[in-house]
Amino acid sequence: MADDQGNGHRALAATAPGEQGSAATVYRAGDLFQLLRDGKPWTRAQLAMTTGLARSTVAGKVDLLLNSGLVVSVGEALSSGGRPPSRFAFHAQARAVLAVDVGASHVRVALTDLNGDVLAEERTALPVASGPEAVLGYVIESGRRLLGEVHQPEMLLAGVGIGLPGPVEHATGRPVKPPIMPGWDGFDVVGFVQRALPVPVLVDNDVNIMALGERAGYWPGVDDLLFIKVATGIGSGIISSGQLQRGADGTAGDLGHVRVARGEGVVCRCGNIGCLEALASGAAVARALAAHGVPAETGGDVVGLAAHGNIAAIQALRQAGRDIGEVLATCVNLLNPSVIVIGGSMAAAGEHVMAGVREVVYQRSLPLATTNLRIVLSRAGERAAVMGASQLVSQHILSPTGIEATLSASAG
């Protein structure tokens, strides 16, 4: 799908009878639609001038898009003489998207429009360890409740996007040996959901979709961004040259299992020694504090202690930031991002973690790589994942190929 993503129009190499020059390339209706995704009104004449197509060709494709509901008439443009030309724009409310964030101990389900604007949502404290049938069963029931709440018929559901807290094989949407998800390994998430909701279902690692959500909502002009989730585990979503990078098998960005200098002798749940996650995750920091008599069982406890001025918790968070910064310094030299976003539940500790990250990254990374580098807290917060899950579906549905599939279904 990489070639179909983005808002630029993509030409197909085919000859249009009777059209010359730039018009010798034919655009599908799905290609023409990419111009309309900017949300601004266009006239048929403007579309014809931009693409080089004959007005009659443009008119036919616009009619197809109007019939699908994805494009609507938005009034008339000023006339230079004669009848005022009609204007058309993308109708983001024509379809709904079910966006799902499955966390270690919660499930958040949101119904959005095709722009990612939330129409309704609900959240429950359902652990992922409850198993795929229980979690996904809740997702389906919640989705139907939300559709009813906003009076949206199920037939207008465009797709379902799901973020899971573990490795996901992108091609199939199946979890692969996820460490905190008993019963999920190899489970057919897509098939299970589609039996109840027969629409496209896209599944990805939660950090990947958080990166998509943060960028879409707050950094749309940034093409090189790292999103770092610090919570029960530690991972990153990598956006490079404007594209999400998953790697050959979908495991790109798994920073939590990179070895750090301070980790000598510390055993990680993955079985290796000295992993970043074993020292700097919320659970790891809580364990370290508890070993020194500080009452902390979870990352949330640590954040709460720091908020109330507990010096030991503040120092532990700062050290966790340094450990994370040690790994990120290598990432900065390797990937040269312009923005690093720190998110996840531990980001609630704010500047305590950030101070440690910045201290090491700016010290250890190459000067040129940090000249314009910004290290910031997540602005999307706990909604980053549902925002990204919505984007995952919209990018698929609104791509040229996706639009063509929608038009074919509408014609059928």
Side-chain angles (χ1 to χ4, degrees), residues 9-29:
H9 60 279
R10 182 170 64 91
L12 301 180
T15 302
E19 298 181 347
Q20 303 296 324
S22 62
T25 299
V26 171
Y27 291 77
R28 299 175 297 177

Side-chain angles (χ1 to χ4, degrees), residues 7-193:
N7 293 342
H9 60 279
R10 182 170 64 91
L12 301 180
T15 302
E19 298 181 347
Q20 303 296 324
S22 62
T25 299
V26 171
Y27 291 77
R28 299 175 297 177
D31 299 306
L32 190 71
F33 174 79
Q34 303 310 304
L35 292 173
L36 295 162
R37 282 185 67 180
D38 62 7
K40 298 176 182 177
W42 289 71
T43 65
R44 291 183 177 89
Q46 288 171 329
L47 290 169
M49 183 178 298
T50 300
T51 62
L53 297 174
R55 288 197 187 191
S56 58
T57 302
V58 168
K61 297 183 188 308
V62 167
D63 286 344
L64 288 173
L65 294 169
L66 285 168
N67 289 337
S68 74
L70 291 169
V71 169
V72 292
S73 176
V74 290
E76 298 175 336
L78 292 176
S79 174
S80 57
R83 182 178 178 181
S86 298
R87 299 189 303 169
F88 309 94
F90 169 44
H91 185 210
Q93 293 74 41
R95 301 284 192 279
V97 173
L98 199 62
V100 182
D101 167 26
V102 177
S105 57
H106 75 273
V107 180
R108 181 186 294 271
V109 182
L111 195 69
T112 78
D113 65 16
L114 292 172
N115 274 336
D117 294 329
V118 175
L119 307 174
E121 67 180 307
E122 63 179 53
R123 184 186 189 278
T124 189
L126 178 63
V128 72
S130 301
E133 289 90 350
V135 171
L136 296 176
Y138 168 78
V139 166
I140 292 165
E141 292 170 5
S142 175
R144 286 174 169 158
R145 279 195 299 272
L146 295 177
L147 284 165
E149 184 178 322
V150 300
H151 308 292
Q152 184 85 295
E154 198 170 302
M155 64 179 290
L156 292 183
L157 183 66
V160 181
I162 303 174
L164 297 177
V168 173
E169 185 180 52
H170 180 63
T172 64
R174 293 174 183 259
V176 181
K177 295 181 173 58
I180 63 168
M181 300 170 62
W184 287 80
D185 184 26
F187 188 82
D188 185 9
V189 175
V190 173
F192 185 93
V193 175

